[in-house]
Amino acid sequence: MAHRYIGRNIYELRKKRGWSQSDLARRMDKKASTISSYETDSKTPSVDTIIAMSELFGVSIDELIYGENAEVLSTKHLAAEQIALLRTYCRG
């Protein structure tokens, strides 16, 4: 599910800092085409890359993945029964 949010969030965090895809790629030791594929959601960053990006951008991993709605979308404070109910509801 993270892939539905992370590309847009990487784009927004990068733009907020005035960086090009090449700038971010240099900072991450990646190719600009890799950054582009993350931002267009054609490729999902590895866990190590997500951690490194969150540190580089100075945001939590939740915020990198879910954006400003990280707390709203988080299930960390829900009971197991609530999470199961939410999963059932989301499957539709």
Side-chain angles (χ1 to χ4, degrees), residues 4 6 13 22-23 27 51 57 59 74 80-81 90-91:
R4 294 185 182 160
I6 196 165
L13 288 164
S22 295
D23 293 332
R27 287 174 168 83
I51 292 168
F57 288 132
V59 298
S74 176
E81 300 83 25
C90 290
R91 286 188 201 133

Side-chain angles (χ1 to χ4, degrees), residues 37-55:
S37 67
Y38 294 157
E39 291 182 359
T40 59
D41 295 320
S42 58
K43 183 176 180 184
T44 302
S46 69
V47 171
D48 289 338
T49 299
I50 290 171
I51 292 168
M53 276 191 182
S54 71
E55 290 172 353

Side-chain angles (χ1 to χ4, degrees), residues 1 11 13 41 59 62 71 80:
M1 188 163 166
Y11 170 82
L13 288 164
D41 295 320
V59 298
D62 282 351
E71 279 300 311

Side-chain angles (χ1 to χ4, degrees), residues 46-89:
S46 69
V47 171
D48 289 338
T49 299
I50 290 171
I51 292 168
M53 276 191 182
S54 71
E55 290 172 353
L56 179 64
F57 288 132
V59 298
S60 69
I61 292 170
D62 282 351
E63 189 174 342
L64 178 64
I65 295 172
Y66 297 112
E68 295 174 355
N69 296 322
E71 279 300 311
V72 174
L73 297 171
S74 176
T75 59
K76 67 182 175 186
H77 299 294
L78 297 179
E81 300 83 25
Q82 292 170 313
I83 293 171
L85 185 62
L86 184 59
R87 286 186 178 136
T88 301
Y89 176 76

Side-chain angles (χ1 to χ4, degrees), residues 5-23:
Y5 302 99
I6 196 165
R8 181 71 184 163
N9 295 332
I10 292 169
Y11 170 82
E12 289 177 2
L13 288 164
R14 177 179 62 76
K15 284 297 198 180
K16 191 179 200 180
R17 283 155 183 77
W19 297 344
S20 67
Q21 287 180 341
S22 295
D23 293 332

